[in-house]
């Protein structure tokens, strides 16, 4: 596939994978948000994953928020949940329902390896360099792009197709990523809309992560390995 050479002096535009980029940081808070709606405009769903991580503490916590709209009404079964991992111990749950697991070191290592295999790099088709910008306290190179061949398979009209991402000058990891796409089937029916946001904040800033009381209570009734 032929590509147009970038102008001389244009910074590299290819990011490292998300997991590789985050693994290079001592601590951070990351947010992944995905919102979709359609084809019925009265239906939509939003998933938000907010993770805080400290390499020094060997600890992280992920807060998962799920919201849906069905026929214009809030969906049933939407609830927030959390997953804590400190050392080889993991605790997850929501409300009054929590579970605690003590893992052997090699079991924890294996689970981490499996997760790393699912690492991904989001779409950044034919990026165009915009400017050097400071985002979340990090010097970044800002690129814009449009998703290739959007609507070509379905025959839908593309009404939105705008992507932007910011790469750390030092490390080539994603500091921020935004993509908004929308397609419509003629005549303006079956509207599909999607917004994706990835944002890394509090980079290498002090962070405190500890099991909440619900986890400590669950640990007391968890059989020892």
């Amino acid at each position: 596939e032929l590509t147009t050479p970038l102008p001389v002096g244009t910074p590299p535009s290819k990011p490292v994978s998300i997991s590789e980029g985050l693994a290079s940081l001592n601590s951070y808070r990351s947010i992944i948000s995905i919102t979709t709606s359609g084809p019925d405009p009265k239906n939509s769903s939003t998933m938000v994953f907010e993770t805080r991580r400290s390499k020094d503490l060997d600890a992280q916590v992920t807060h998962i928020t799920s919201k849906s709209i069905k026929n214009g009404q809030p969906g049933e079964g939407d609830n927030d949940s959390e997953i804590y991992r400190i050392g080889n111990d993991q605790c997850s749950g929501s409300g009054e329902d929590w579970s605690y697991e003590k893992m052997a070191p090699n079991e924890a290592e294996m689970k981490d390896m499996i997760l790393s295999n699912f690492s991904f790099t989001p779409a950044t088709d034919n990026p165009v360099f915009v400017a050097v910008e400071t985002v979340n306290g990090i010097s970044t190179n800002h690129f814009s792009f449009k998703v290739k061949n959007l609507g070509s398979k379905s025959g839908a009209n593309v009404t939105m197709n705008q992507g932007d991402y910011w790469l750390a000058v030092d490390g080539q990891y994603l500091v921020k990523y935004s993509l908004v796409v929308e397609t419509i089937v003629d005549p303006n029916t079956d509207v599909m809309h999607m917004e994706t946001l990835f944002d890394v904040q509090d980079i290498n800033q002090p962070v405190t992560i500890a099991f909440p009381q619900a986890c400590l209570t669950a640990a007391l009734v968890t059989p020892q390995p």
Side-chain angles (χ1 to χ4, degrees), residues 37-38 40-45 68-76 78:
S37 63
D40 186 332
K42 296 190 295 293
N43 296 340
S44 66
S45 66
S68 61
I69 302 294
K70 302 292 185 183
N71 296 318
Q73 300 297 320
E76 297 180 0
D78 290 344

Side-chain angles (χ1 to χ4, degrees), residues 33-97:
S33 173
I34 302 173
T35 299
T36 59
S37 63
D40 186 332
K42 296 190 295 293
N43 296 340
S44 66
S45 66
T46 300
M47 290 288 292
V48 180
F49 301 84
E50 180 175 344
T51 298
R52 290 184 294 122
R53 167 76 181 166
S54 169
K55 185 181 295 185
D56 292 340
L57 299 175
D58 190 18
Q60 75 176 44
V61 55
T62 299
H63 186 96
I64 304 171
T65 304
S66 173
K67 294 182 179 180
S68 61
I69 302 294
K70 302 292 185 183
N71 296 318
Q73 300 297 320
E76 297 180 0
D78 290 344
N79 64 331
D80 291 6
S81 61
E82 289 185 310
I83 303 173
Y84 285 82
R85 171 77 176 273
I86 301 178
N88 297 326
D89 294 355
Q90 182 168 296
C91 176
S92 60
S94 63
E96 302 297 322
D97 186 17

Side-chain angles (χ1 to χ4, degrees), residues 131-142 166 169 175-176:
V132 177
E133 299 172 5
T134 298
V135 176
N136 298 339
I138 302 297
S139 179
T140 70
N141 292 314
H142 177 190
W166 291 259
V169 172
V175 175
K176 188 174 181 179

